Amino acid sequence: MIEERAIVTATHGKFAQVETQRETSCGSCEAKGACGTSVLAKVFGNRRTVVEVLNPIGATPGERVIVGLDESALTRASFFFYIVPLLALLSGGVLGQWVAEQIGFVSTEPLSIISGLLGLLIGLVWLRRFAFRTRGSSAYQAVILRRAGSVHVINGIT
């Protein structure tokens, strides 16, 4: 289970909106001068991220909580969100190439490119539907695990 500290900013139904602070461990790393992650951390800084999570413990706005996500769910979701569009793009391109050859086009690249982009679009539409289907599922959704203490939030300042 991957865990992260957060502050509840709003609740609605079985969901809560939480705010996390993105942090890196670059300050203590010896390779920070030659690392791409360190450079990105300097450019983007430690920004706050707002995420919608399941709220089975009934946390209320202003509470500090521990939010968790199953590691295998992160791996599966990453696979879907990276591989599905790529495979759809490649499959569409190969199918377009094959169809253009079967029809007898002199130049098969335009149909291959259009088919590849259409495949990518179909893959992205499938991902959107997958995301909506799994939105309320605790298998793919971050969830509030426990309270970590309370804090008062005034105008976004803790």
Side-chain angles (χ1 to χ4, degrees):
M1 181 73 69
I2 299 170
E3 295 184 0
E4 180 73 29
R5 291 185 177 270
I7 299 172
V8 178
T9 56
T11 59
H12 40 85
K14 64 179 185 175
F15 292 99
Q17 194 173 37
V18 298
E19 186 176 283
T20 63
Q21 175 108 20
R22 182 176 23 168
E23 296 177 7
T24 65
S25 56
C26 293
S28 61
C29 179
E30 292 182 21
K32 65 182 173 186
C35 175
T37 302
S38 175
V39 172
L40 288 175
K42 288 176 187 173
V43 170
F44 293 114
N46 290 336
R47 294 188 180 170
R48 296 185 184 273
T49 304
V50 177
V51 181
E52 188 173 79
V53 298
L54 290 172
N55 185 11
I57 66 169
T60 58
E63 285 187 295
R64 282 193 186 271
V65 293
I66 303 296
V67 177
L69 179 64
D70 185 29
E71 292 169 357
S72 64
L74 181 62
T75 304
R76 284 191 311 266
S78 297
F79 175 80
F80 286 135
F81 281 88
Y82 285 104
I83 298 300
V84 168
L86 181 62
L87 288 178
L89 172 72
L90 292 174
S91 299
V94 169
L95 181 64
Q97 177 83 20
W98 181 79
V99 168
E101 289 172 359
Q102 296 302 314
I103 293 175
F105 286 173
V106 175
S107 178
T108 59
E109 288 84 8
L111 187 57
S112 180
I113 292 169
I114 291 169
S115 298
L117 293 174
L118 184 61
L120 176 63
L121 179 65
I122 291 169
L124 292 174
V125 168
W126 182 87
L127 278 176
R128 183 177 171 96
R129 289 186 178 180
F130 172 78
F132 280 121
R133 279 194 317 266
T134 59
R135 182 175 182 256
S137 168
S138 61
Y140 288 99
Q141 179 75 35
V143 62
I144 296 176
L145 300 173
R146 61 188 176 276
R147 288 176 173 82
S150 62
V151 65
H152 295 287
V153 179
I154 302 172
N155 295 329
I157 301 171
T158 57

